[in-house]
Amino acid sequence: MKRILLIIAGWLCVGLATLGVILPVLPTTPFLLLAAWCFSRSSKHFHYWLLYRSWFGPYLRYWQTYHAMPKGAKPKAILVILITFAISLWLVSMLWVRILLLIILVCLLIFMWRLPVNDQQEVPCEK
């Protein structure tokens, strides 16, 4: 039963992470890390798929190996965050929602700024 719940939770996290690529309020990275954790404890097949076959795989493998982001990933992530929040702020007309979005934006930028960056360009290969 525990294994099935972890698989369901892992797939839910993958779905939320995928939505987080598009939606500015939904974070991608924590959901991916949680999905990797769930799959590592429940299904070697799904864990392998997440690390080696999914779109997120290289970044997850890099994080698992170096506990840091690749050098070029941080500026790209910050740019995507800024663009999606700018669009959201432009589309939203309620003042309290704009203020909430700005608070979330500041928190995300602080979080991203603090993440370590590794100069290693190689992503660990398949085992």
Side-chain angles (χ1 to χ4, degrees):
M1 185 65 160
K2 180 182 174 184
R3 181 178 178 270
I4 292 170
L5 289 175
L6 284 171
I7 290 172
I8 291 169
W11 280 112
L12 180 64
C13 289
V14 169
L16 290 171
T18 304
L19 280 175
V21 171
I22 301 165
L23 301 174
V25 179
L26 200 59
T28 301
T29 304
F31 287 119
L32 282 178
L33 294 175
L34 186 56
W37 182 83
C38 289
F39 288 153
S40 72
R41 281 154 181 74
S42 62
S43 171
K44 288 182 181 182
H45 174 74
F46 292 140
H47 189 245
Y48 181 87
W49 173 84
L50 187 62
L51 292 179
Y52 295 102
R53 299 292 180 241
S54 73
W55 184 64
F56 305 114
Y59 294 106
L60 285 171
R61 290 193 314 272
Y62 197 94
W63 180 263
Q64 283 186 342
T65 302
Y66 302 113
H67 297 290
M69 293 181 74
K71 190 175 182 180
K74 189 185 245 186
K76 290 176 189 174
I78 289 173
L79 181 64
V80 169
I81 290 169
L82 289 173
I83 290 171
T84 56
F85 270 87
I87 292 169
S88 297
L89 288 167
W90 181 63
L91 292 175
V92 171
S93 60
M94 292 183 281
L95 180 62
W96 72 271
V97 175
R98 283 185 172 183
I99 291 170
L100 182 62
L101 283 171
L102 286 171
I103 291 169
I104 293 169
L105 173 62
V106 168
C107 291
L108 273 174
L109 291 176
I110 290 170
F111 173 77
M112 290 299 297
W113 184 265
R114 296 187 57 163
L115 283 177
V117 174
N118 191 328
D119 290 338
Q120 300 274 341
Q121 289 300 320
E122 63 184 57
V123 176
C125 297
E126 190 173 331
K127 292 181 181 179

